[in-house]
């Protein structure tokens, strides 16, 4: 494998299924935060499988170089695949690479990329390397960049019984007064996700902190509780 062969194969595969009629609506949905080819997720799945099958990195350096080369692509679909490619290899996708995840979220600077970094990288790594990842999320939760704060809030998504609820509730309270929509939404999302596992704890937390969170946060957090 070479980095050039990886990026060329991905670009060719995307262009083969690109739909120009969908490119503008996709860009508009993302508030024109990037340029699209018009390749929606179902058509990117086979490309990701091809990447896993044909472009296994030889070592951490090649893995990182592949991620960064894909990230530099012109189209947003290349950035999606850069993050997903990074997530394919657990032996390289570790807490040691948290600075890379941080950079991707900062540079992505919108919910589609930040949340993909969370789901493909941050949350899976937090599950297996909690102590090391906490060194980063404890800093991110106070960062001036709210996308980093969002990463910290959502860093335990899908952890279920392995959720550290003390950490979850602490992070939520640290951001309780935040006015940014994406933070208020993230607090609600994080609490709702945990409510599937421990609804009593989430109900108690919301009751004990009544009035501290926005109506949006409470509504999002309570969807499972009131269903």
């Amino acid at each position: 494998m070479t980095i050039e062969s990886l990026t060329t194969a991905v670009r060719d595969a995307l262009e083969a299924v690109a739909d120009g009629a969908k490119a503008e609506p996709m860009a508009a949905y993302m508030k024109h935060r990037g340029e699209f080819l018009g390749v929606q997720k179902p058509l990117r799945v086979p490309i990701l499988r091809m990447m896993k099958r044909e472009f296994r990195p030889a070592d951490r350096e090649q893995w990182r170089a592949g991620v960064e080369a894909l990230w530099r692509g012109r189209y947003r679909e290349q950035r999606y695949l850069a993050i997903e490619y990074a997530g394919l290899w657990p032996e390289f996708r570790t807490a040691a690479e948290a600075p890379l995840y941080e950079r991707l979220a900062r540079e992505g600077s919108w919910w589609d990329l930040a949340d993909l970094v969370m789901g493909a990288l941050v949350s899976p790594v937090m599950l297996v390397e909690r102590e090391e990842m906490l060194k980063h999320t404890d800093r991110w939760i106070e960062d001036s960049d709210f996308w980093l704060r969002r990463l910290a809030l959502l860093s335990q998504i899908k952890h279920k019984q392995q959720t550290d609820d003390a950490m979850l509730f602490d992070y939520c309270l640290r951001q309780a007064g935040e006015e940014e929509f994406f933070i208020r939404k993230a607090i609600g999302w994080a609490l709702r996700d945990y409510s599937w596992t421990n609804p009593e704890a989430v109900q108690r937390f919301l009751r004990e902190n009544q009035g501290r969170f926005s109506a949006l946060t409470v509504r999002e957090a309570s969807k499972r509780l009131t269903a």
Side-chain angles (χ1 to χ4, degrees), residues 5-205:
S5 64
L6 168 64
T7 55
T8 299
V10 170
R11 176 68 180 265
D12 289 348
L14 284 170
E15 290 182 340
V17 294
D19 185 342
K22 293 180 179 177
E24 173 56 27
M26 290 173 71
Y29 182 65
M30 290 302 162
K31 308 295 184 183
H32 297 281
R33 299 280 170 160
E35 188 175 354
F36 284 83
L37 276 165
V39 184
Q40 295 176 315
K41 185 174 181 179
L43 292 179
R44 295 198 302 270
V45 172
I47 300 174
L48 187 63
R49 291 177 182 154
M50 177 272 292
M51 294 162 72
K52 184 175 183 178
R53 183 176 63 251
E54 300 180 17
F55 293 98
R56 172 178 289 276
D59 51 34
R60 183 179 298 273
E61 288 67 31
Q62 192 175 61
W63 168 84
R64 192 185 302 112
V67 173
E68 293 184 343
L70 290 166
W71 182 258
R72 290 192 297 270
R74 173 179 175 180
Y75 298 102
R76 205 158 185 89
E77 291 95 337
Q78 291 167 296
R79 288 194 155 192
Y80 295 151
L81 288 169
I83 297 168
E84 291 171 324
Y85 178 80
L88 287 176
W89 318 108
E91 64 269 40
F92 307 130
R93 180 204 66 197
T94 65
E97 298 297 334
L100 173 62
Y101 316 151
E102 177 176 335
R103 181 165 66 80
L104 297 179
R106 286 190 192 278
E107 292 180 4
S109 192
W110 199 242
W111 67 265
D112 57 336
L113 294 171
D115 290 356
L116 192 54
V117 170
M118 176 276 294
L121 303 171
V122 173
S123 178
V125 175
M126 174 66 83
L127 188 61
V128 297
E129 294 185 73
R130 186 172 301 275
E131 185 175 347
E132 288 302 310
M133 279 303 294
L134 278 171
K135 297 175 183 177
H136 302 281
T137 58
D138 281 349
R139 176 172 52 81
W140 294 348
I141 195 63
E142 302 292 347
D143 199 276
S144 60
D145 187 333
F146 67 80
W147 296 113
L148 270 293
R149 301 202 301 276
R150 185 174 168 97
L151 273 192
L153 285 164
L154 299 175
S155 61
Q156 296 190 87
I157 290 292
K158 297 184 179 180
H159 286 199
K160 299 182 180 180
Q161 290 86 355
Q162 292 176 267
T163 300
D164 180 341
D165 58 4
M167 168 192 161
L168 169 64
F169 296 151
D170 174 53
Y171 281 11
C172 289
L173 287 172
R174 290 200 215 179
Q175 296 297 307
E178 175 61 63
E179 296 182 358
E180 168 58 50
F181 169 84
F182 286 106
I183 294 298
R184 293 185 290 127
K185 188 89 169 180
I187 297 171
W189 178 8
L191 292 171
R192 183 178 73 250
D193 180 76
Y194 187 48
S195 74
W196 286 93
T197 299
N198 194 340
E200 295 82 6
V202 175
Q203 284 179 318
R204 184 170 56 252
F205 176 72

